[in-house]
Amino acid sequence: GAVVSQHPSWVICKSGTSVKIECRSLDFQATTMFWYRQFPKQSLMLMATSNEGSKATYEQGVEKDKFLINHASLTLSTLTVTSAHPEDSSFYICSTLPRGQGSYNEQFFGPGTRLTVL
Amino acid sequence: TQLLEQSPQFLSIQEGENLTVYCNSSSVFSSLQWYRQEPGEGPVLLVTVVTGGEVKKLKRLTFQFGDARKDSSLHITAAQPGDTGLYLCAGEETSGSRLTFGEGTQLTVNP
């Protein structure tokens, strides 16, 4: 499968600060990347779909001004949590959809970023 | 958004036992993927099923896609402690490449 990295793997920040999380596809070009959030003991919830060179598409209930997504290249997407609050503490996971995928779409996931807001 | 119900949510069994996890929906999916996730890590793809009625085997794991492509099951034979983890099903929506995830099944296999 495809290799996806995330940085940082964990981050602790103070309330009110902004945090940037990077998602990189290491061995392929990714036209589309997805950002998920996962709370303890729960499944993944899609936050937004990031398309290279265009604006991200956010899921209902996700504030686009709070969760800024930039997909400036075919190998990098970033998620910035602005003015983070304790309720934003979660496990953030990205996934990629390799370019030129076959007849069905398989997403490959990064290792996740644990965000803790104090 | 298409919904996917996964059951059971929690399963604790003894080593050597068999188990089945189910994912059901009223909607049709283009494909269905099964993932396994360890604590603090991202999901790892186990298998993708695409054709209605398809059955795929991965060692002791058997995956089945319903004839109508609305449901799927994962059967594990002779479970081992190393099978412990969170199992997630995810359906690819017919309207695009988005995945709808089930609630997950936390499996614990006791030695």
Side-chain angles (χ1 to χ4, degrees):
Chain A
V3 180
V4 181
S5 71
Q6 278 184 244
H7 178 80
S9 55
W10 59 271
V11 56
I12 301 173
C13 69
K14 291 183 178 180
S15 186
T17 60
S18 294
V19 174
K20 180 185 283 188
I21 302 170
E22 294 184 349
C23 176
R24 291 182 187 273
S25 58
L26 300 182
D27 53 356
F28 61 90
Q29 293 181 329
T31 310
T32 303
M33 292 185 176
F34 300 90
W35 286 97
Y36 295 85
R37 181 166 51 183
Q38 185 178 34
F39 292 106
K41 308 289 187 186
Q42 294 186 22
S43 188
L44 279 69
M45 294 296 295
L46 179 64
M47 297 176 67
T49 302
S50 169
N51 296 296
E52 187 266 337
S54 64
K55 289 184 178 180
T57 304
Y58 290 81
E59 295 299 302
Q60 192 172 8
V62 178
E63 300 174 57
K64 62 180 182 180
D65 295 329
K66 181 169 181 63
F67 298 99
L68 301 178
I69 291 173
N70 184 286
H71 192 158
S73 78
L74 287 171
T75 59
L76 173 66
S77 175
T78 61
L79 168 68
T80 300
V81 183
T82 62
S83 187
H85 291 285
E87 58 265 31
D88 297 324
S89 298
S90 188
F91 194 52
Y92 291 87
I93 310 174
C94 70
S95 72
T96 61
L97 199 58
R99 194 183 213 183
Q101 191 69 22
S103 58
Y104 55 87
N105 298 308
E106 285 184 338
Q107 293 185 23
F108 296 93
F109 287 82
T113 297
R114 171 73 60 194
L115 170 63
T116 302
V117 184
L118 302 177
Chain B
T1 303
Q2 299 172 239
L3 298 177
L4 198 53
E5 294 182 351
Q6 187 172 346
S7 63
Q9 261 190 294
F10 300 95
L11 195 54
S12 181
I13 61 173
Q14 293 300 120
E15 183 176 0
E17 291 184 0
N18 302 330
L19 67 114
T20 303
V21 178
Y22 300 93
C23 271
N24 296 293
S25 176
S26 58
S27 306
V28 175
F29 291 100
S30 301
S31 67
L32 198 135
Q33 299 166 23
W34 284 92
Y35 294 86
R36 182 177 154 201
Q37 186 181 21
E38 300 282 353
E41 299 179 10
V44 175
L45 180 66
L46 296 174
V47 79
T48 300
V49 285
V50 182
T51 308
E54 183 177 5
V55 177
K56 281 191 174 178
K57 290 194 173 184
L58 190 66
K59 296 184 180 177
R60 293 177 294 100
L61 277 61
T62 302
F63 305 86
Q64 191 164 8
F65 202 12
D67 291 340
R69 290 187 291 133
K70 293 182 180 180
D71 53 85
S72 181
S73 64
L74 158 61
H75 183 78
I76 301 180
T77 304
Q80 299 175 1
D83 295 328
T84 294
L86 179 67
Y87 289 82
L88 297 158
C89 62
E92 178 194 357
E93 297 184 0
T94 53
S95 58
S97 56
R98 288 164 81 248
L99 288 180
T100 296
F101 277 86
E103 298 96 332
T105 296
Q106 181 62 54
L107 172 65
T108 303
V109 182
N110 303 298

